[in-house]
Amino acid sequence: MTATEPRVEPVPIERWSIRAREMLLGRVRRADKYLSAEPGTVRMPNILAMLGHHEELGAAWLAYNGVLLDRPLLEPRLRELAVLRVAWRTRSAYEWGQHVRLARELGITEEQIEDVACGETAGWPQLEQLVLAATDELVDRYRVDDPTWAGLTRYLDTRRLLELLFVVGSYLCLALVCNSVDLRPDPDSDTGVPPAVPDWEE
């Protein structure tokens, strides 16, 4: 990202319409906290604040994404490895910062996060290598290659395979949006670039 200001400014919660506020209820865990806080006391993530511009789209996206985040069949660790790889490949600073934090909460180490960015996963469990390979193939060629697919089927049933495809596709879509609107990272997110990877372009 090169712009000095976002192309689309997040909407402060005090300027949200009633319909936009209703969008959060039942779809975001901390909705009540965001909606009831005094102005300036609780910062809503910029991605949610951006959705305040389009209530219907925001409601649909949050309901859909909630399946992937809150009711997953795919192991959350696998999901976050795939999302981190998407974020790195797309150079999405916002997505990277958010999911580095989530990855740490799941016990993914700093070294592993750096390995995801570098693509250096030799010695990793085979399933995790396959998940990252599938992510790269989807980003590069829009289809999982046959050998990778065959490998994944040894570990994941059809429902989990579909969920993996939707995770990669969904976070690729979100990265495109975040990059295009120049969404700024949240203050509590980590956009640190792994030191062994010098080619990050913000």
Side-chain angles (χ1 to χ4, degrees):
M1 297 188 301
T2 58
T4 57
E5 297 295 334
R7 288 175 171 174
V8 177
E9 288 282 356
V11 182
I13 192 64
E14 57 269 21
R15 289 179 21 214
W16 278 38
S17 67
I18 293 174
R19 188 175 180 187
R21 288 167 176 266
E22 290 173 347
M23 172 188 77
L24 291 184
L25 296 174
R27 298 182 179 92
V28 175
R29 291 179 193 170
R30 301 182 67 192
D32 289 337
K33 188 170 184 177
Y34 296 140
L35 295 172
S36 62
E38 291 294 322
T41 60
V42 176
R43 185 182 177 91
M44 184 165 55
N46 284 340
I47 186 65
L48 294 180
M50 184 192 66
L51 292 175
H53 286 285
H54 194 323
E55 303 93 345
E56 188 174 5
L57 176 62
W61 174 265
L62 291 172
Y64 161 67
N65 202 47
V67 176
L68 301 178
L69 287 178
D70 301 328
R71 301 184 298 282
L73 296 176
L74 188 68
E75 181 186 349
R77 176 184 171 91
L78 297 178
R79 178 195 69 222
E80 290 307 311
L81 291 175
V83 175
L84 283 175
R85 188 63 182 158
V86 168
W88 188 264
R89 291 292 312 279
T90 59
R91 298 301 190 257
S92 176
Y94 188 86
E95 197 165 270
W96 176 261
Q98 287 290 318
H99 288 273
V100 163
R101 177 178 57 81
L102 291 175
R104 288 174 177 151
E105 291 174 1
L106 290 171
I108 298 173
T109 67
E110 301 300 318
E111 182 179 2
Q112 290 167 336
I113 291 169
E114 183 175 317
D115 286 346
V116 170
C118 296
E120 298 291 340
T121 56
W124 281 40
Q126 187 178 30
L127 174 56
E128 294 182 356
Q129 291 189 48
L130 287 165
V131 164
L132 292 171
T135 302
D136 280 340
E137 290 160 11
L138 287 166
V139 171
D140 290 336
R141 297 186 289 281
Y142 324 116
R143 184 178 190 272
V144 177
D145 293 345
D146 288 341
T148 306
W149 184 266
L152 286 169
T153 61
R154 294 199 294 270
Y155 297 95
L156 302 176
D157 61 20
T158 300
R159 296 176 75 190
R160 288 171 174 80
L161 280 167
L162 286 173
E163 198 165 296
L164 174 61
L165 298 176
F166 274 95
V167 163
V168 175
S170 299
Y171 283 91
L172 177 58
C173 172
L174 197 61
L176 300 180
V177 173
C178 292
N179 287 351
S180 294
V181 302
D182 289 319
L183 193 67
R184 292 297 180 263
D186 297 319
D188 61 347
S189 69
D190 184 347
T191 58
V193 179
V197 188
D199 63 341
W200 178 280
E201 297 175 1
E202 293 193 11

